[in-house]
Amino acid sequence: SSYLELSFSLLLAPLKMIGRGALVLVLAHGAVHVGTALKTEELRASALEHAFVALHVKLHSTVAGLREQLNKNKGEMRKAPASPLLVKFQEGLERILSDTVDMKDKRAALLQLRSADSGVERLIAPYKTWEAAHRSYALSADSGILLEAGKAASSLEQQLSHMEKAFQAKKRNHEKRLKAFKLNKDALQRETKSFNKLSEKRSIQFAKIRSAVDAVKKKDATFLYAFAHAVHDATVDDDVHATVQE
């Protein structure tokens, strides 16, 4: 017991030597440090929120620009060979915007947004360089464009696989209905006409998607730059782009 009392006294001794006034100063100094740390953390949170909002707005504007590209001139762009890739790229950005808009972890959300923004910049930078050089050199398959186009093409292939499986299911159902309608001439004609229309539509869609995927795999420079050109044009009229600070 006496040993514990002696130890406690030794611990209190430095505080007694400091004096009451000095102790108040020490505590006040500590409080200032805590307050400064809290203020710094608030500033960091504010900067994080600002960066998140600015980049979200920027990418949302790019998506709107892509949608405008696809719909202008009565949807003329949708007939272009690169349109399936453009639509898939747009859908990818929309998905990231949707996934991050309500994320509580804004730091993680910002990382996703920055990754998407880097993808856009990586895609359009070679086209901007080519334009700045007054198109003075022959197009080649740029690695940045290939990377982003490759991601979209891979996603397109997965989509095509799902679409083909869905179509085959409809075809099997169609064949069953034909058997059921074999004694009903009018119903048989309606069923045949309806499926033929769907079959023609899907055939065109599948061919267009396969063509776009093949063009990426073959590193078709003309196709790749048409894709990059469309994305570039979706960003050039963006008046609300924000500069996102690290």
Side-chain angles (χ1 to χ4, degrees):
S1 175
S2 59
Y3 176 77
L4 291 174
E5 290 175 359
L6 178 61
S7 298
F8 187 63
S9 298
L10 289 173
L11 286 171
L12 287 177
L15 292 179
K16 290 179 180 178
M17 291 172 65
I18 291 175
R20 184 176 297 178
L23 184 58
V24 169
L25 288 174
V26 170
L27 292 174
H29 184 67
V32 169
H33 271 295
V34 171
T36 301
L38 289 173
K39 187 174 182 180
T40 300
E41 190 60 34
E42 288 176 1
L43 288 173
R44 286 176 181 171
S46 176
L48 183 65
E49 180 68 22
H50 173 74
F52 170 81
V53 171
L55 201 47
H56 214 278
V57 169
K58 178 182 177 182
L59 290 172
H60 187 275
S61 180
T62 299
V63 167
L66 286 168
R67 192 177 295 117
E68 184 179 341
Q69 285 291 310
L70 288 163
N71 293 330
K72 72 178 183 179
N73 297 328
K74 298 181 179 180
E76 189 66 28
M77 174 61 78
R78 292 187 181 274
K79 301 174 186 177
S83 64
L85 209 63
L86 201 60
V87 171
K88 185 54 62 177
F89 188 76
Q90 175 192 324
E91 290 174 352
L93 292 179
E94 287 175 335
R95 184 172 60 256
I96 290 172
L97 289 172
S98 176
D99 290 346
T100 56
V101 66
D102 292 322
M103 280 181 67
K104 292 182 179 179
D105 187 346
K106 287 292 184 285
R107 195 173 300 279
L110 185 58
L111 286 174
Q112 288 190 40
L113 293 173
R114 280 177 172 165
S115 177
D117 185 55
S118 294
V120 173
E121 294 300 324
R122 185 162 45 242
L123 176 60
I124 67 176
Y127 179 81
K128 289 164 70 174
T129 301
W130 184 57
E131 282 286 293
H134 306 290
R135 306 186 180 190
S136 59
Y137 55 88
L139 295 177
S140 60
D142 178 85
S143 59
I145 298 178
L146 269 176
L147 178 61
E148 298 307 317
K151 292 177 187 177
S154 178
S155 184
L156 262 181
E157 277 193 301
Q158 294 178 13
Q159 177 186 327
L160 179 59
S161 177
H162 293 319
M163 291 175 71
E164 288 176 331
K165 288 177 181 178
F167 178 73
Q168 288 302 319
K170 287 182 180 294
K171 185 177 181 180
R172 288 192 294 271
N173 186 51
H174 164 68
E175 290 168 349
K176 291 178 182 179
R177 290 168 69 87
L178 286 180
K179 292 178 181 178
F181 294 149
K182 63 182 179 180
L183 298 178
N184 188 331
K185 186 177 180 180
D186 289 341
L188 190 64
Q189 287 179 339
R190 285 195 300 271
E191 174 63 25
T192 301
K193 183 178 180 181
S194 175
F195 182 77
N196 287 345
K197 184 177 181 180
L198 175 65
S199 180
E200 182 180 358
K201 180 180 179 181
R202 290 291 181 266
S203 179
I204 294 171
Q205 283 182 315
F206 295 167
K208 197 169 183 179
I209 292 174
R210 287 193 195 95
S211 178
V213 171
D214 288 344
V216 175
K217 289 182 177 180
K218 293 175 181 177
K219 301 180 181 181
D220 185 326
T222 301
F223 176 91
L224 292 170
Y225 269 76
F227 171 51
H229 182 186
V231 176
H232 171 266
D233 286 357
T235 65
V236 290
D237 293 327
D238 182 6
D239 294 328
V240 290
H241 278 192
T243 301
V244 182
Q245 302 293 332
E246 290 292 332

